[in-house]
Amino acid sequence: MHHSVRLVVVTAFALGVLARPADAAPATFVHPGVTVSQGQLDFVRGKVDAGAQPWKGAFDAMLASRYADLNRTPKPRAVVECGSYSNPNYGCTDEREDAIAAYTDALAWYITRDERYAKKAIQLMDAWSAVIADHTNSNAPLQTGWAGSSWPRAAEIIKYTYSGSWANSGRFATMLRTVYLPEVINGSNSNGNWELSMTEAAVGISVFLEDKTSYDKAMAKFRTRTAAYVYLDSDGELPRTVPSQNLNTRDKIVGYWQGQSTFVTGLTQETCRDLTHTGYGISAISHVAETGRIQKQDLYGTDVGERLRQALGFQAKYELGTAVPGWLCGGSLKLGLGPVTEVGYNALHNRIGMGMTNTQTLTERNRPAGSNNLFVAWETLTHGDNPN
């Protein structure tokens, strides 16, 4: 089968027809199409209505959370200022959590068809689109990536499934185009989770805006960064690098990999920093791959899928309590991977059939997965054992 596929591609190029690479925008964008699809939403709604687990429990936990509070007061700011380690934090938590709340309300609307939730999501999105102009200080790119990952998820569901009025949807699109996209589209040379979260935001925003140029740019950056974030033995003696970082010696690479000098399949650039930041990177990889899948691209079938599978399995093994060998991070790991395994596990194990024993154990132990209060929310509900 692989040979015939390759021949078709060669023939297409020989005929002067541009074959679509795995990171190219679709001819027509699919909506709702950021991280979660219409088919997935319909599956979840059916399971919740039937009282089936783990979806009903996950749904109940979501509705009981502060993010689903219909009395929530949005707290928009014109300038959100975020310094390193949240110092200062002027509007940063408010923005991220209002964006998660909008997504939470959009999910609640879809599953319950209670219009109050759709209107609440719109209220939150409108409040911010009326006010915000900029993100400043050292964490501005990361903050924009985090909030900018949640906003289009909410907006896609509301715009394409709610039949009521959203008069200011155009203003919201302008906000994404002018305030968020320019901040994230060019990526970052900081730790890999920064650029992965920023490209997740850029991809999601590009889908909502139907911006093929930005989508392609973000996806190309994503492919390069993912290859430089998760090591595979097939990469060679040293991990791959992002050209703009000039990591052109072994010492520079080891330093960037938190001092880790032994490279094994599934290790990430931030494993020896802590598993929480590693989880941010893994989560963004899975979200972009899932959005790509909804947009009719098979990133899971590329090295992205293998890197995601290996990264999940490697971190899950230690998160589950396997003793840390002396060659790995000096024999000590900071655990706390977070609620980030459902999307990748469902895609790679349930859909494609790859063995993922450690990831399965960790995923099932952590159900229902909640929110990390940054940019991850409710993935047992949306992606747990979801065949769509």
Side-chain angles (χ1 to χ4, degrees):
M1 182 180 136
H2 289 292
H3 292 294
S4 61
V5 170
R6 206 166 290 137
L7 286 173
V8 169
V9 172
V10 170
T11 307
F13 279 112
L15 293 171
V17 178
L18 185 61
R20 183 180 164 212
D23 54 2
T28 306
F29 284 101
V30 176
H31 303 290
V34 178
T35 317
V36 63
S37 69
Q38 180 98 43
Q40 288 171 319
L41 290 166
D42 288 338
F43 172 84
V44 171
R45 186 170 182 236
K47 290 295 186 184
V48 172
D49 284 350
Q53 300 296 356
W55 306 277
K56 180 66 166 69
F59 176 72
D60 290 344
M62 181 184 84
L63 274 199
S65 77
R66 66 181 187 271
Y67 295 114
D69 181 1
L70 288 167
N71 294 312
R72 183 183 189 86
T73 304
K75 297 178 180 173
R77 295 175 71 99
V79 178
V80 173
E81 183 180 354
C82 309
S84 298
Y85 302 101
S86 299
N87 183 27
N89 177 345
Y90 298 132
C92 315
T93 302
D94 291 337
E95 179 191 28
R96 292 194 305 265
E97 298 199 352
D98 277 350
I100 291 172
Y103 175 55
T104 302
D105 290 326
L107 290 172
W109 141 253
Y110 196 89
I111 292 165
T112 65
R113 297 302 152 99
D114 182 337
E115 281 200 73
R116 292 178 303 165
Y117 289 109
K119 289 174 177 172
K120 192 68 187 181
I122 289 168
Q123 182 201 1
L124 291 161
M125 292 189 285
D126 283 356
W128 280 89
S129 72
V131 171
I132 190 163
D134 199 13
H135 297 86
T136 63
N137 214 316
S138 56
N139 264 26
L142 182 62
Q143 170 72 18
T144 310
W146 282 345
S149 293
S150 297
W151 286 130
R153 275 187 230 139
E156 281 279 302
I157 294 171
I158 295 300
K159 181 173 180 179
Y160 292 100
T161 73
Y162 177 57
S163 58
S165 169
W166 182 16
N168 292 311
S169 64
R171 187 178 75 196
F172 185 82
T174 299
M175 175 191 82
L176 293 181
R177 183 179 292 108
T178 60
V179 179
Y180 289 81
L181 191 57
E183 187 74 50
V184 295
I185 191 65
N186 293 315
S188 162
N189 287 323
S190 184
N191 279 302
N193 83 85
W194 277 50
E195 185 163 274
L196 288 165
S197 288
M198 290 163 69
T199 54
E200 178 187 343
V203 167
I205 289 167
S206 297
V207 170
F208 186 72
L209 299 178
E210 300 196 321
D211 182 339
K212 295 180 184 181
T213 303
S214 294
Y215 184 95
D216 286 350
K217 182 174 181 178
M219 275 294 187
K221 201 166 282 293
F222 168 76
R223 295 291 299 274
T224 301
R225 174 61 69 174
T226 299
Y229 193 70
V230 182
Y231 177 78
L232 297 177
D233 283 342
S234 57
D235 293 335
E237 183 191 344
L238 293 170
R240 297 202 193 172
T241 60
V242 174
S244 58
Q245 293 190 270
N246 299 311
L247 298 172
N248 49 14
T249 68
R250 180 182 175 85
D251 285 350
K252 285 183 185 177
I253 292 172
V254 168
Y256 186 58
W257 283 62
Q258 317 290 327
Q260 177 69 11
S261 58
T262 303
F263 301 104
V264 297
T265 291
L267 181 80
T268 81
Q269 182 254 314
E270 295 186 275
T271 298
C272 294
R273 180 187 186 185
D274 58 64
L275 293 199
T276 301
H277 285 88
T278 298
Y280 300 165
I282 290 172
S283 178
I285 292 169
S286 68
H287 292 162
V288 174
E290 190 71 357
T291 296
R293 184 190 71 86
I294 296 165
Q295 301 304 329
K296 305 291 190 278
Q297 293 172 260
D298 183 18
L299 288 167
Y300 291 120
T302 71
D303 73 300
V304 170
E306 183 61 9
R307 290 178 197 278
L308 177 58
R309 181 174 81 97
Q310 296 289 354
L312 282 167
F314 187 88
Q315 317 322 301
K317 179 171 68 172
Y318 295 107
E319 190 75 16
L320 289 167
T322 295
V324 182
W327 58 262
L328 177 60
C329 311
S332 174
L333 281 175
K334 293 179 186 168
L335 303 179
L337 191 63
V340 302
T341 64
E342 290 276 15
V343 175
Y345 170 70
N346 186 56
L348 296 166
H349 176 74
N350 292 335
R351 282 203 211 101
I352 300 172
M354 294 180 173
M356 298 176 72
T357 310
N358 289 318
T359 306
Q360 178 171 0
T361 301
L362 183 63
T363 300
E364 292 175 352
R365 187 181 83 176
N366 288 347
R367 285 180 173 170
S371 175
N372 71 354
N373 306 313
L374 298 171
F375 68 100
V376 178
W378 323 124
E379 294 183 349
T380 297
L381 179 67
T382 55
H383 290 80
D385 300 336
N386 192 325
N388 295 284

